């Protein structure tokens, strides 16, 4: 890998920055030159996200279908039930989602703006559905200690347990694709 070329050390920080700049310039160029291609790329990346999340969900379903409930039974142990903490968490979630700032811009581009509430409602329902199934799968496969101390993303840890190192690589690529698709 790239670390071997640098004697096992991390490559110079300038190399990281140069790669990031090159990727950003390439993305901006594609968006500017080929807007229709950009839409297709976004669709492909969205499909890739759904496929990777579906893999996690299937792993969780397989685990639960075997009658293995020991991890998920711990689910809410240690949960803080303070409403103020929950409110702060919801506020953080809403502000961390970058889509809120484009709703007005999007509304100006939609031919029939009266359908926007339906679109938002369906989108939120679909994302919530996949999110809940993914979280249930995480909790069915991993115990809380493993989730809290994992050295890699929780999805990679789940994949590692069921798919080995190839699962970790798959989810590393899936996260990169997901980040590019946002």
């Amino acid at each position: 890998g790239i670390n071997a070329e640098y004697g096992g050390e991390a490559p110079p920080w300038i190399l990281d920055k140069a790669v990031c700049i090159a990727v950003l310039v390439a993305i901006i160029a594609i968006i500017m030159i080929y807007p229709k291609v950009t839409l297709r790329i976004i669709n492909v990346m969205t499909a890739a996200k759904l496929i990777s999340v579906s893999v996690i969900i299937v792993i969780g379903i397989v685990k639960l279908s075997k009658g293995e409930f020991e991890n998920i039974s711990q689910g809410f142990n240690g949960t803080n039930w303070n409403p103020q903490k929950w409110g702060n968490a919801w506020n953080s979630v809403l502000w961390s989602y970058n889509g809120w700032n484009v709703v007005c811009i999007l509304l100006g581009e939609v031919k029939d703006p009266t359908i926007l509430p339906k679109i938002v409602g369906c989108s939120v329902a679909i994302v919530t559905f996949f999110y809940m199934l993914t979280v249930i799968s995480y909790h069915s496969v991993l115990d809380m200690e493993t989730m809290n101390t994992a050295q890699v993303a929780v999805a990679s840890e789940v994949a590692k347990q069921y798919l080995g190192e190839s699962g970790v690589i798959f989810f590393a690529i899936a996260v990169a694709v997901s980040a590019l698709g946002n």
Side-chain angles (χ1 to χ4, degrees):
I2 195 164
N3 287 349
E5 295 176 20
Y6 293 97
E9 299 290 321
W13 66 270
I14 193 76
L15 182 61
D16 286 342
K17 303 297 181 199
V19 169
C20 290
I21 290 170
V23 169
L24 282 174
V25 168
I27 290 170
I28 291 168
I30 291 170
I31 290 170
M32 290 173 58
I33 298 169
Y34 306 107
K36 289 184 180 183
V37 172
T38 302
L39 292 175
R40 288 190 183 117
I41 291 171
I42 290 171
N43 289 338
V44 168
M45 290 184 179
T46 299
K49 290 177 196 181
L50 290 175
I51 290 168
S52 61
V53 167
S54 295
V55 168
I56 292 292
I57 292 169
V58 167
I59 290 172
I61 289 170
V62 167
K63 175 89 171 181
L64 293 174
S65 69
K66 292 179 180 178
E68 300 175 16
F69 300 103
E70 64 276 354
N71 292 334
I72 202 163
S73 64
Q74 305 171 18
F76 292 103
N77 290 347
T79 298
N80 186 335
W81 295 102
N82 180 343
Q84 181 181 4
K85 298 287 185 185
W86 281 59
N88 289 340
W90 275 102
N91 192 38
S92 297
V93 167
L94 290 174
W95 282 104
S96 68
Y97 174 66
N98 197 26
W100 294 108
N101 63 353
V102 296
V103 171
C104 292
I105 297 167
L106 175 70
L107 192 57
E109 299 294 326
V110 175
K111 289 180 184 174
D112 181 11
T114 60
I115 66 167
L116 191 62
K118 292 177 189 172
I119 293 170
V120 171
C122 288
S123 299
V124 169
I126 290 168
V127 169
T128 302
F129 175 75
F130 274 99
Y131 179 79
M132 293 303 294
L133 288 179
T134 303
V135 170
I136 290 168
S137 295
Y138 290 159
H139 284 278
S140 66
V141 174
L142 301 174
D143 59 34
M144 292 301 288
E145 180 66 27
T146 303
M147 278 194 264
N148 290 334
T149 60
Q151 297 296 315
V152 294
V154 175
S156 293
E157 191 67 37
V158 169
K160 183 178 180 181
Q161 288 193 10
Y162 277 83
L163 306 172
E165 288 300 318
S166 60
V168 174
I169 293 168
F170 170 79
F171 278 97
I173 293 169
V175 167
V177 167
S178 177
L180 285 174
N182 285 336

